[in-house]
Amino acid sequence: MTGVFVESAMKHAQPDHNTLALEQRRCEMSEAAALRSILNRADLDGTGTINWEEFRRVASDHRVSSVLEVMGLDIKDASLLHDMLCKVGGSSEVNLDFLVDALMRMKGPAMGIDLQALICKNDLLLERVENLSQRMDEATI
């Protein structure tokens, strides 16, 4: 009888998976809001985008770096990150919402699904380049 009671008490003492997932999501949303606030302050011209100078300034601020490290973000090469995001966005400035999303995805270790997505995109790109090369070869013959 005591064993049943202890087992039941232990089961009820552990949070269920839904509660844990909800708490994790709330934490992520809170961190994204904090990140958005930092980046909004960095957007000196109020355009809703971050240019290189604004990004460099915020990335080199030690107070901001400390906050980002607590969030699990360590921006070692700000120039490379800004350049990559600009290329994806097709502009010399990065949209704030896009930047927040990108930084939130960078948190923690790379996920297997992220790596698989990169592999698939790379394979598709390689296939397109090979097809284009073949068509160019055929056109010159």
Side-chain angles (χ1 to χ4, degrees):
M1 181 76 165
T2 303
V4 173
F5 175 75
V6 170
E7 183 180 336
S8 176
M10 291 298 290
K11 185 176 182 179
H12 291 295
Q14 296 176 353
D16 66 87
H17 293 289
N18 290 337
T19 302
L20 291 174
L22 182 60
E23 184 58 33
Q24 182 178 1
R25 182 67 182 136
R26 282 185 184 142
C27 183
E28 288 172 358
M29 290 174 66
S30 174
E31 288 179 344
L35 194 52
R36 189 170 279 108
S37 176
I38 289 168
L39 294 171
N40 276 327
R41 288 193 302 272
D43 180 20
L44 299 177
D45 56 9
T47 59
T49 60
I50 298 288
N51 62 36
W52 165 240
E53 187 57 35
E54 292 167 331
F55 192 74
R56 185 197 59 74
R57 190 175 303 117
V58 76
S60 63
D61 185 329
H62 296 295
R63 295 169 299 183
V64 172
S65 296
S66 296
V67 170
L68 295 178
E69 283 182 30
V70 168
M71 291 181 175
L73 292 166
D74 185 15
I75 301 174
K76 292 189 185 335
D77 191 341
S79 176
L80 176 63
L81 176 60
H82 189 266
D83 287 349
M84 284 189 316
L85 295 176
C86 284
K87 285 178 183 169
V88 169
S91 173
S92 63
E93 299 189 357
V94 181
N95 176 281
L96 285 175
D97 291 330
F98 179 71
L99 180 55
V100 169
D101 289 343
L103 290 171
M104 290 301 292
R105 291 190 68 170
M106 287 174 47
K107 289 178 52 170
M111 303 284 285
I113 189 72
D114 295 327
L115 295 174
Q116 188 60 42
L118 285 173
I119 291 168
C120 287
K121 286 181 181 181
N122 190 47
D123 289 346
L124 287 172
L125 214 83
L126 181 60
E127 184 179 323
R128 287 180 181 173
V129 168
E130 288 172 348
N131 287 339
L132 181 61
S133 177
Q134 183 179 7
R135 283 188 281 165
M136 289 176 65
D137 288 344
E138 290 170 358
T140 58
I141 294 179

